Amino acid sequence: MTLSARFINGSHFQVTEFILMGLPGIHSWQHWLSLPLALLYFAAISANLLIFITIWKEPKLHQPMYQFLSILSIVDIGLATTIMPKILAIFWFDAKTIGLPECFGQMYAIHAVLSMESGIFLCMAIDRYVAICQPLHYSTIVTDTFVFKISVYMVLRNGLAVIPVPLLAAQRDYCSSNEIEHCLCSNLGVTSLACDDRRPNSICQLILALLIMGGDLTMIILSYSLIFWSVLKLNSAEAASKALSTCSSHLILIFFFYTVIVVIFVTHLAERKYPLIPVLFNVLHNIIPPALNPLVYAFRTQDLRLGFQKLFLPVKNSKCVQIR
């Protein structure tokens, strides 16, 4: 144990800061991973900012579907930023120490932003459900006010619901080792160092995961089940293909997001035998979706691609209009 602890009552240690050791088992060469991670982080920030600015500046994209996508872009930037600056500081500058308040703050931010990402996926599924199953009422149901209210609700829900996670972690008694075999302050990684019972923390995280992400996923599955049922009843194959194409990008991202969560949960069961795997998946889950989401939408959404062209080639586009 390092010297970052103090005596209590002359004999009892109390940890005052944690040491984030990085990726377990590969400490000696983990800094080589900093380059691909830094490139992924730069790509995620740049691509999501590009999408947000394009949607904000292009009037044609001021629709609920793209408004939710712009919110997702901001959430993705937050998701990557909650961990990557500290991870790169560990790899580049050996800045492994982190104070308890900063650690519990990062723990809160990770849970809040991940839950927000899940909530935005649900909002996008509801939007697609109304657009395909209730097309005549879409403009009266999914209004700007609806988008604002449901977005505020998601922020409040996820911001308040995850507060117990860092609060319970802060109440644990950290009186022995302060070295965390991780790149970030995960709830399970931090509380594994506690000298007292950490079961309340694990139970709390499990309940929140089932209620928030499990509830969101259930509603998403229900929404798309109704969408597929409505599409199957369409007489035109072309109309059915067009309806499903508007959902394809969303489905790809949902599948990847929740699949990785399941993989992380499963690999945690084998953590003692293969400690690197769950830690690496945990890190990648915070950086790959933010980098992947913009690419999927950029390649599969024509209106967004046209928005990019107008953003980067405004003069050329205006000349083309004059010639026509």
Side-chain angles (χ1 to χ4, degrees):
M1 185 181 67
T2 67
L3 296 178
S4 54
R6 55 186 170 85
F7 282 106
I8 297 179
N9 297 331
S11 60
H12 187 65
F13 278 110
Q14 180 62 48
V15 170
T16 58
E17 63 182 19
F18 293 118
I19 310 296
L20 294 172
M21 301 302 296
L23 299 173
I26 59 171
H27 296 157
S28 59
W29 58 271
Q30 63 183 359
H31 59 279
W32 291 105
L33 296 176
S34 63
L35 180 58
L37 289 177
L39 291 175
L40 276 174
Y41 181 52
F42 176 76
I45 298 298
S46 303
N48 282 290
L49 278 177
L50 175 61
I51 284 185
F52 179 80
I53 294 171
T54 301
I55 294 173
W56 176 59
K57 294 194 68 174
E58 176 54 48
K60 188 179 179 180
L61 299 178
H62 293 177
Q63 304 173 29
M65 180 176 70
Y66 295 111
Q67 289 171 341
F68 285 128
L69 180 57
S70 67
I71 297 172
L72 180 64
S73 297
I74 298 300
V75 174
D76 279 338
I77 292 174
L79 182 60
T81 305
T82 55
I83 67 166
M84 283 311 303
K86 182 60 180 178
I87 290 176
L88 294 178
I90 293 172
F91 290 169
W92 288 343
F93 310 111
D94 204 35
K96 297 180 179 180
T97 60
I98 184 170
L100 269 64
E102 293 82 4
C103 187
F104 297 133
Q106 186 189 61
M107 185 186 301
Y108 168 79
I110 291 171
H111 284 82
V113 179
L114 275 175
S115 300
M116 185 69 186
E117 181 116 349
S118 175
I120 294 301
F121 281 142
L122 174 59
C123 293
M124 297 171 82
I126 294 173
D127 172 76
R128 291 300 85 202
Y129 163 75
V130 179
I132 294 174
C133 300
Q134 304 288 335
L136 298 179
H137 303 286
Y138 180 79
S139 59
T140 57
I141 296 176
V142 187
T143 61
D144 291 341
T145 303
F146 173 83
V147 173
F148 175 77
K149 287 182 178 179
I150 198 170
S151 300
V152 170
Y153 166 74
M154 285 298 172
V155 171
L156 293 176
R157 183 199 76 168
N158 300 309
L160 297 175
V162 301
I163 290 178
V165 175
L167 283 183
L168 285 174
Q171 292 177 3
R172 299 278 69 81
D173 184 21
Y174 302 99
C175 60
S176 55
S177 174
N178 65 340
E179 295 181 350
I180 304 174
E181 289 291 337
H182 214 310
C183 301
L184 51 91
C185 289
S186 68
N187 180 40
L188 297 179
V190 172
T191 55
S192 65
L193 303 179
C195 300
D196 52 356
D197 188 8
R198 65 167 183 162
R199 281 179 295 179
N201 302 72
S202 301
I203 294 172
C204 175
Q205 181 165 343
L206 179 61
I207 291 174
L208 286 175
L210 291 175
L211 289 178
I212 296 178
M213 292 192 178
D216 289 347
L217 182 58
T218 301
M219 293 298 295
I220 289 171
I221 293 173
L222 177 61
S223 298
Y224 274 103
S225 298
L226 295 173
I227 288 172
F228 290 142
W229 179 253
S230 297
V231 168
L232 289 174
K233 292 191 295 183
L234 295 176
N235 295 325
S236 171
E238 182 180 353
S241 176
K242 185 177 180 181
L244 290 177
S245 67
T246 64
C247 305
S248 58
S249 302
H250 188 217
L251 284 171
I252 291 172
L253 301 184
I254 288 173
F255 178 79
F256 182 80
F257 180 80
Y258 287 103
T259 299
V260 175
I261 289 179
V262 173
V263 171
I264 291 174
F265 174 77
V266 172
T267 54
H268 264 295
L269 300 178
E271 185 173 7
R272 291 186 177 182
K273 190 174 182 180
Y274 306 105
L276 174 63
I277 296 176
V279 173
L280 189 59
F281 269 109
N282 210 333
V283 172
L284 294 178
H285 188 239
N286 282 59
I287 187 61
I288 290 183
L292 177 68
N293 294 353
L295 293 177
V296 172
Y297 272 98
F299 280 118
R300 301 186 65 87
T301 309
Q302 183 178 6
D303 289 341
L304 202 55
R305 293 197 301 271
L306 293 175
F308 294 154
Q309 294 176 12
K310 290 183 179 180
L311 183 66
F312 287 109
L313 303 170
V315 177
K316 183 177 179 180
N317 287 339
S318 62
K319 288 181 179 179
C320 293
V321 172
Q322 291 176 2
I323 292 173
R324 292 178 184 176

